[in-house]
Amino acid sequence: MFEDRKWLPVFLISPANVLLLLFIAVPSIYIIWLSLHKLTFGMSSTFVGLDNYIQIFSDPIFWRAALNTFIVVNIVVYAELALALILALALNTNFWGKGLVFSILIAPYAVSEVSAVVMWRYLFEPDIGMFNMVLQSFADIQLNWVRNPTHGLTLISILSIWIHLPFTLIILYSAISTVPGDLKNAARVEGATEWQVFLKVTMRFIAPAILVAMMFRYIFATRLFSEVWLLNEGGPARLTEVLGTYLFRAAFRYHDFGTAAATGLAMQFLALLVASFYLYKLYKRMQADG
Amino acid sequence: MDDRKIILTGRSLILLIGVVWSAFPIFMVVSSSFKPALDIFAVPPKLIFTPTFENYIALFHDWPEFVGSLGNSLIITVGATLITAVTSLLAGYSYSRYRSRLLTLSAFFMIFVRMLPPIVVTIPLFPVVNALHLNDTYIILILLYAAFFVSLATWIVKTFIDQIPRELEEAAEVEGASIWQMLYKVIVPLSIHGMIAACVFVVIFSWNEYAFAMIFTSNTARTGPLILSEISGAVEGVQWGVLFAATSIQLLPILIFVLFVQKFIVSGLTAGAVKG
Amino acid sequence: MNVKMKPMVGRMLKGAVAAALMSVTCSAVNAAELTIIGHKVHKNVSTGEKGGDFAGEWAKASNSKINWLTFNVQAIHERLFREASLGSTTIDVGFAANRYFAPHFPKMFQSLDEYNAKSPIENFDELPKGMLGALTYNGKLYGIPFRHATGALHINTEIFKEKGVAIPTTFEEVLAAARKLTFKRSDGTNVYGMLLDARNPTIITDFARAMNNGDYLTPDFKLKANSPAMVKAVETVVRMFKEGVLPEAYLNFKTEDVITYMQQGRGAMAISPFGRYRNYNDAKKSKVAGKVISIAVPKSETLKGFNVAPVRTEFWAMLIPKNSDNKDLAWDYIRNAVSPENTIRAAVNGNGPVRPSAYSDQRVKDKVPYAAAEQAVLAVARPPVPGFGNSAKAEDIFVEEVESALLGRKSAQEAMDSAQARITPLLPK
């Protein structure tokens, strides 16, 4: 197909790649250079070799942040996958008001994070927040996220799922709707139960979409920042710190640009690690389709 | 018949919970914007109150630049979305239909490059953008936002194009269609829901993005989230009512947008055309 | 003059006149533009309705146009420092808060001594020495203070009356009153004896200062984190938290929460800047409007040499980026903004004036009920910590250690010892 125009494929991918090259890839080279230097406002850079990396890797707070990030990201990504799948399936039929229902389900993603955190904080404020008051009267416990880091991470996870569930939902909802009805009917005719239809037909069909959604969700999730920062700034006592807040402090609070660059690259490596499974699957799939 | 009823109740219950879960905090924000300031943080929370517009009036009085900032957000959002849509369509099509070492490499390059947290990139970009006199312009944010979403959009579009049988393109080629006609007449209509899904992400992101807008805009291209951050960063005490009013207004266009495009995300109608 | 030259001279003369005319009219048309970066509150107090728009008046008089660029606090400094690091910038005047002062100022900002010598600020000697000192590097001055926020004790008189407690006159009485005024109302709401801003580590410094003029970091960078004064201050706050005198959510308390709780009548006392008086007594937003008074934080009875506690003062200063194109104009603006008259007008607009004399002016006395108290405190208040390269890191470490103590994971002594150990390597050599 169009084989005579060898340059065509390259031409088609260039606008997208040029954007990325200019605005991310080329600055990244500078970032790599920067991570080997010490730099802040008003002084010229000094070469320090791997000092920045040694510094962050010997900082217990960095590892706590890495652990917290790892835990929250995994909870959030899989919870969202499960919830989005359930919701997408529930939506995959025609009923009056479906558009409105879907829009409401997407709405949390559209809210600015500042407002979302304010509201969730208010609902979960110790003693006086609505949800905590209800929890107190029914189960005699509270989500004491101010004092207890585990509760803190729980609230952060809930908050993050609330904001970001629509991301996975939109992709899955769109993909599920493309599953050809005839395939499903053919399977039903052959005696498959709904569950089998779901597994063998629907899931196989939307698997590539799930892969893409998961991979990007993982990448975006490792940058978890606003939910943590706006809630508790990584507190109490830096116990709910995540890599996103660690990076923010280095870049925007301490203006320690070398360390910020090193942290950013460490996060990139972590994202690569965490998404590698999905990357591999995508690669295999691409080879298979070719 | 019983089986169906169970499924129906199950669906309805799930969707009901989903709707309440999604809508409740938003409802709190919007309804609080109509509460007199005294009642907003009252404990126990006041569910019945006399609504007032005072917060909205105060918003427009204290922050007259808010409306203009939303206009800027609109321009930048539309620009970024258009660029993302076009570039990701071209790239997604190419990755879907062609294979070569270079293509595979660049497809994964697009993912890899996105693993770096974007804010780090502002450190070198800021002086460069200023030297080029691109600071405080619409174009710089348009290009930046497009760059951030072109990877995701490309991969989503590619996934959808993968499912379009090649016979259609071959038929078009036989009829002498150029690549552009083919993209326009065959590919776009059949992958439109994927494209729209990807566009929704760019739109929401661009509309709400704060960090880059803070660094690269001054007064001309200032966007909505900056005003929101100013309102919530008041040094003499946050005016919560005003903040909620501003949040509600800023939220509204996105909700309308989602309401409008959500039917294009599903392909109930076009499934039939795919069959040969 | 020979005949041939006449027409040429004539043309030259005409040209010269035309050029002169053009330059005059052009300068009227192309008024100079001054870009100021700061917080909206700075703009409001400089262009307010009550005290007058002295910024606008200056602009008219100097035939220029002011371009205000406002952000939230963190963003102001982010942009200001980045802009000042460029080759050239459009920013001419920048507001910076003392927390962000750093040793890179001399590289980024214009030293102002020459400007002050050429075109001096009126009554320059009146500006607080402590503030000017914080803006001086290697003997040169880099900024002019404009606005201050100094700690006060805000008292909900209604709650005091309810429980029959007298207004405290010493710091010991403050602590005792806080204990007595922590209770649960019949409708189930909690009232807390004291409301503090936890995110702000200087609150501990305030306690140390009130009790015995203690310090966490002296102006010459001696770290006193685990000095007995600081440990005692931390222990006091920890004890208050354990006894429930401080709110349950104290660990996460920001300025906003102090204001909200106070406005909702859930606090008997609060230590926050004097300016918050207006928030607590705002009839539209506060349930206890009209019932809150603001006084100087009383000192401990064992503290000699002071009338009131020498609590923290935080302030904003105006600076001129080195790479600005309009430095003369910028200086002119600054000079005008801190003139004695305009300081008073800004105070009427709601600003915290850095000139003590402003508090003696009748206009300020009329508009600001706590003027006398603020004046007394301003005389002895000091910036909480000097700014240095690793200020922010040191602050984060300090907050973390205090929070560990509050959580009960460490004793106050252990926490402060740890802070001392961790912060010492970060101090300037």
Side-chain angles (χ1 to χ4, degrees):
Chain A
M1 200 178 15
F2 297 108
E3 272 119 5
D4 49 331
R5 307 179 206 176
K6 278 203 214 108
W7 50 265
L8 185 66
V10 178
F11 171 72
L12 287 176
I13 65 170
S14 18
N17 280 280
V18 164
L19 269 176
L20 286 173
L21 272 170
L22 272 184
F23 290 105
I24 305 186
V26 167
S28 300
I29 300 179
Y30 174 80
I31 296 293
I32 297 176
W33 174 88
L34 183 60
S35 71
L36 302 172
H37 291 73
K38 260 237 170 319
L39 177 68
T40 182
F41 286 124
M43 69 176 243
S44 39
S45 53
T46 0
F47 179 73
V48 290
L50 293 174
D51 215 28
N52 289 328
Y53 289 98
I54 297 176
Q55 206 189 317
I56 57 180
F57 290 142
S58 50
D59 184 359
I61 298 182
F62 173 80
W63 292 109
R64 190 181 304 137
L67 181 65
N68 286 340
T69 310
F70 184 75
I71 294 175
V72 173
V73 162
N74 279 297
I75 293 177
V76 157
V77 166
Y78 290 113
E80 285 174 22
L81 177 62
L83 291 172
L85 206 50
I86 295 174
L87 283 170
L89 285 172
L91 279 169
N92 195 28
T93 175
N94 277 312
F95 59 91
W96 183 88
K98 172 170 159 176
L100 185 63
V101 167
F102 180 66
S103 305
I104 294 180
L105 291 175
I106 302 299
Y109 201 55
V111 176
S112 84
E113 282 164 328
V114 172
S115 327
V117 178
V118 167
M119 257 314 141
W120 280 88
R121 260 198 72 189
Y122 176 53
L123 292 170
F124 275 102
E125 189 75 1
D127 275 349
I128 59 173
M130 229 184 276
F131 285 175
N132 262 334
M133 276 165 51
V134 166
L135 273 175
Q136 182 74 42
S137 29
F138 279 122
D140 203 30
I141 53 155
Q142 280 194 42
L143 201 62
N144 198 348
W145 51 275
V146 174
R147 283 215 218 199
N148 184 329
T150 314
H151 291 193
L153 287 175
T154 308
L155 182 58
I156 289 168
S157 303
I158 296 178
L159 186 47
S160 198
I161 294 174
W162 185 82
I163 296 177
H164 293 285
L165 176 62
F167 176 83
T168 318
L169 178 59
I170 291 176
I171 297 180
L172 288 187
Y173 176 59
S174 191
I176 280 188
S177 69
T178 63
V179 177
D182 337 349
L183 274 181
K184 291 201 273 189
N185 285 334
R188 285 192 193 105
V189 157
E190 288 178 27
T193 63
E194 281 305 313
W195 182 244
Q196 285 172 321
V197 169
F198 169 67
L199 268 183
K200 292 272 156 71
V201 179
T202 310
M203 279 301 271
R204 272 187 51 215
F205 211 79
I206 64 174
I210 291 185
L211 271 183
V212 171
M214 284 293 95
M215 190 174 58
F216 278 98
R217 187 70 195 97
Y218 253 119
I219 295 174
F220 292 156
T222 50
R223 297 204 201 114
L224 180 72
F225 168 73
S226 301
E227 294 91 313
V228 181
W229 188 260
L230 296 173
L231 197 61
N232 223 343
E233 285 182 22
R238 311 283 296 269
L239 291 169
T240 60
E241 190 90 4
V242 293
L243 289 175
T245 54
Y246 193 84
L247 174 64
F248 178 81
R249 276 184 215 263
F252 291 100
R253 232 178 105 62
Y254 308 153
H255 297 127
D256 188 355
F257 297 127
T259 308
T263 310
L265 289 170
M267 285 173 72
Q268 177 162 25
F269 181 69
L270 179 73
L272 183 60
L273 214 64
V274 146
S276 55
F277 171 71
Y278 293 95
L279 273 174
Y280 180 68
K281 282 261 166 189
L282 267 179
Y283 176 71
K284 285 258 114 167
R285 211 164 250 281
M286 222 170 144
Q287 298 298 81
D289 289 343
Chain B
M1 280 309 119
D2 255 358
D3 217 25
R4 269 201 166 181
K5 267 231 164 107
I6 295 179
I7 293 186
L8 187 63
T9 338
R11 266 189 220 263
S12 316
L13 197 62
I14 291 173
L15 289 177
L16 183 64
I17 296 176
V19 164
V20 171
W21 150 270
S22 303
F24 187 63
I26 298 178
F27 172 73
M28 294 291 309
V29 171
V30 176
S31 70
S32 293
S33 74
F34 292 104
K35 279 187 185 167
L38 267 177
D39 292 343
I40 291 181
F41 285 113
V43 165
K46 266 195 169 177
L47 294 168
I48 323 252
F49 57 92
T50 15
T52 163
F53 277 105
E54 68 185 35
N55 294 319
Y56 288 88
I57 297 174
L59 171 65
F60 291 117
H61 178 262
D62 293 342
W63 307 89
E65 62 270 40
F66 184 55
V67 178
S69 75
L70 289 180
N72 289 339
S73 280
L74 183 65
I75 295 175
I76 291 171
T77 301
V78 169
T81 309
L82 281 176
I83 294 188
T84 308
V86 172
T87 54
S88 64
L89 171 67
L90 299 179
Y93 176 75
S94 186
Y95 289 130
S96 176
R97 295 314 192 213
Y98 298 103
R99 287 287 175 273
S100 79
R101 290 286 291 284
L102 176 66
L103 282 181
T104 314
L105 211 65
S106 91
F108 286 93
F109 161 76
M110 288 184 83
I111 301 179
F112 179 69
V113 116
R114 289 294 284 125
M115 293 182 179
L116 184 69
I119 57 167
V120 202
V121 140
T122 61
I123 300 171
L125 275 185
F126 182 71
V128 169
V129 167
N130 266 280
L132 295 173
H133 296 292
L134 285 176
N135 51 307
D136 204 25
T137 56
Y138 294 120
I139 191 70
I140 186 65
L141 282 184
I142 289 177
L143 291 176
L144 275 169
Y145 292 165
F148 289 143
F149 272 84
V150 83
S151 300
L152 174 65
T154 301
W155 273 89
I156 292 180
V157 170
K158 169 190 172 313
T159 309
F160 278 77
I161 294 182
D162 280 342
Q163 287 169 6
I164 301 175
R166 302 194 185 206
E167 294 92 53
L168 291 172
E169 289 149 71
E170 282 157 13
E173 194 188 357
V174 157
E175 289 175 27
S178 72
I179 178 87
W180 309 112
Q181 284 172 321
M182 214 207 25
L183 279 173
Y184 181 63
K185 289 227 154 75
V186 179
I187 301 293
V188 169
L190 292 178
S191 63
I192 190 80
H193 31 274
M195 283 182 68
I196 302 258
C199 283
V200 171
F201 297 129
V202 194
V203 166
I204 292 181
F205 174 80
S206 310
W207 189 256
N208 285 329
E209 203 280 329
Y210 168 73
F212 280 80
M214 182 264 282
I215 291 178
F216 290 106
T217 66
S218 299
N219 275 327
T220 325
R222 178 164 278 229
T223 57
L226 288 189
I227 309 292
L228 284 177
S229 87
E230 270 199 84
I231 300 179
S232 61
V235 132
E236 296 182 314
V238 174
Q239 298 169 283
W240 293 105
V242 171
L243 178 62
F244 292 146
T247 303
S248 306
I249 295 181
Q250 205 242 4
L251 183 56
L252 196 60
I254 292 286
L255 288 183
I256 296 177
F257 169 74
V258 169
L259 205 59
F260 180 66
V261 291
Q262 49 79 26
K263 59 171 166 281
F264 294 104
I265 301 185
V266 284
S267 90
L269 316 158
T270 56
V274 175
K275 274 201 63 175
Chain C
M1 207 183 305
N2 76 45
V3 177
K4 273 200 234 154
M5 296 266 297
K6 255 204 182 156
M8 202 165 72
V9 171
R11 252 176 291 159
M12 274 169 62
L13 268 175
K14 279 207 206 117
V17 169
L21 271 172
M22 278 259 298
S23 69
V24 166
T25 48
C26 272
S27 70
V29 169
N30 304 337
E33 211 176 272
L34 187 80
T35 304
I36 305 181
I37 187 170
H39 194 280
K40 193 143 216 183
V41 82
H42 301 134
K43 178 180 176 199
N44 288 344
V45 301
S46 306
T47 59
E49 295 156 8
K50 297 197 198 121
D53 179 5
F54 60 81
E57 289 165 13
W58 170 87
K60 255 205 219 101
S62 63
N63 194 25
S64 55
K65 182 169 162 303
I66 300 182
N67 194 16
W68 288 94
L69 188 55
T70 59
F71 290 99
N72 70 32
V73 177
Q74 197 256 336
I76 294 171
H77 298 90
E78 194 61 38
R79 279 298 291 272
L80 178 59
F81 295 157
R82 286 194 191 219
E83 295 270 349
S85 306
L86 292 174
S88 79
T89 177
T90 49
I91 309 284
D92 303 306
V93 176
F95 281 85
N98 68 299
R99 279 238 200 132
Y100 290 83
F101 293 176
H104 56 73
F105 275 20
K107 298 244 177 63
M108 300 204 301
F109 295 104
Q110 178 65 45
S111 68
L112 302 173
D113 304 284
E114 314 92 74
Y115 286 84
N116 198 25
K118 243 195 296 174
S119 135
I121 292 178
E122 236 180 291
N123 286 2
F124 183 72
D125 295 325
E126 203 194 355
L127 297 176
K129 299 276 180 290
M131 294 184 190
L132 292 173
L135 288 158
T136 306
Y137 297 88
N138 293 334
K140 293 206 181 145
L141 181 67
Y142 287 90
I144 304 292
F146 178 74
R147 172 190 174 88
H148 80 94
T150 304
L153 182 66
H154 304 268
I155 292 181
N156 183 327
T157 52
E158 192 179 42
I159 296 181
F160 270 71
K161 269 204 205 85
E162 206 180 310
K163 294 282 166 183
V165 177
I167 308 284
T169 53
T170 67
F171 198 68
E172 284 79 10
E173 285 175 18
V174 169
L175 297 176
R179 230 173 254 125
K180 283 196 210 119
L181 294 167
T182 303
F183 57 93
K184 209 183 184 82
R185 285 233 166 84
S186 49
D187 62 5
T189 51
N190 284 317
V191 175
Y192 298 101
M194 177 66 77
L195 299 174
L196 300 171
D197 175 358
R199 285 287 141 189
N200 186 342
T202 60
I203 198 71
I204 310 281
T205 319
D206 275 349
F207 270 58
R209 296 251 181 100
M211 291 198 284
N212 39 31
N213 198 20
D215 246 329
Y216 143 63
L217 188 62
T218 65
D220 55 349
F221 301 113
K222 298 246 183 336
L223 183 64
K224 299 241 174 85
N226 58 359
S227 62
M230 283 303 289
V231 175
K232 186 156 170 243
V234 175
E235 277 172 355
T236 311
V237 174
V238 170
R239 195 171 46 238
M240 287 170 78
F241 181 57
K242 282 209 174 67
E243 292 173 0
V245 174
L246 290 170
E248 178 64 30
Y250 171 65
L251 278 160
N252 202 31
F253 246 49
K254 305 181 178 63
T255 318
E256 281 323 306
D257 303 299
V258 174
I259 296 177
T260 306
Y261 269 57
M262 200 68 176
Q263 283 176 334
Q264 294 285 320
R266 296 207 282 268
M269 288 183 282
I271 297 185
S272 52
F274 271 98
R276 299 297 83 77
Y277 171 90
R278 260 173 257 118
N279 301 77
Y280 304 142
N281 287 308
D282 182 341
K284 277 189 155 181
K285 304 208 175 102
S286 173
K287 275 199 185 143
V288 301
K291 309 222 171 71
V292 176
I293 61 170
S294 308
I295 63 174
V297 178
K299 66 172 179 73
S300 157
E301 53 197 12
T302 57
L303 181 59
K304 305 274 178 282
F306 290 95
N307 290 331
V308 293
V311 291
R312 70 177 185 268
T313 182
E314 314 231 31
F315 64 98
W316 290 86
M318 292 184 282
L319 302 97
I320 304 179
K322 241 189 190 157
N323 50 359
S324 143
D325 294 323
N326 281 329
K327 290 193 252 197
D328 291 317
L329 194 62
W331 175 255
D332 201 46
Y333 175 83
I334 294 178
R335 202 177 144 265
N336 180 66
V338 297
S339 73
E341 173 64 13
N342 286 334
T343 305
I344 292 172
R345 295 169 82 190
V348 173
N349 279 334
N351 196 29
V354 293
R355 288 179 186 272
S357 64
Y359 290 99
S360 311
D361 187 281
Q362 193 56 45
R363 283 172 286 177
V364 176
K365 281 204 247 188
D366 287 338
K367 269 275 170 311
V368 179
Y370 51 83
E374 198 170 19
Q375 188 179 31
V377 183
L378 186 60
V380 291
R382 305 197 296 277
V385 281
F388 59 101
N390 287 322
S391 281
K393 267 197 199 137
E395 185 179 300
D396 281 357
I397 292 176
F398 185 73
V399 171
E400 185 196 330
E401 294 295 348
V402 170
E403 286 179 349
S404 293
L406 285 166
L407 284 174
R409 293 162 75 104
K410 293 183 187 171
S411 72
Q413 184 71 52
E414 284 166 0
M416 289 296 102
D417 284 335
S418 173
Q420 182 82 16
R422 289 169 72 187
I423 297 177
T424 304
L426 299 173
L427 295 170
K429 308 280 180 285

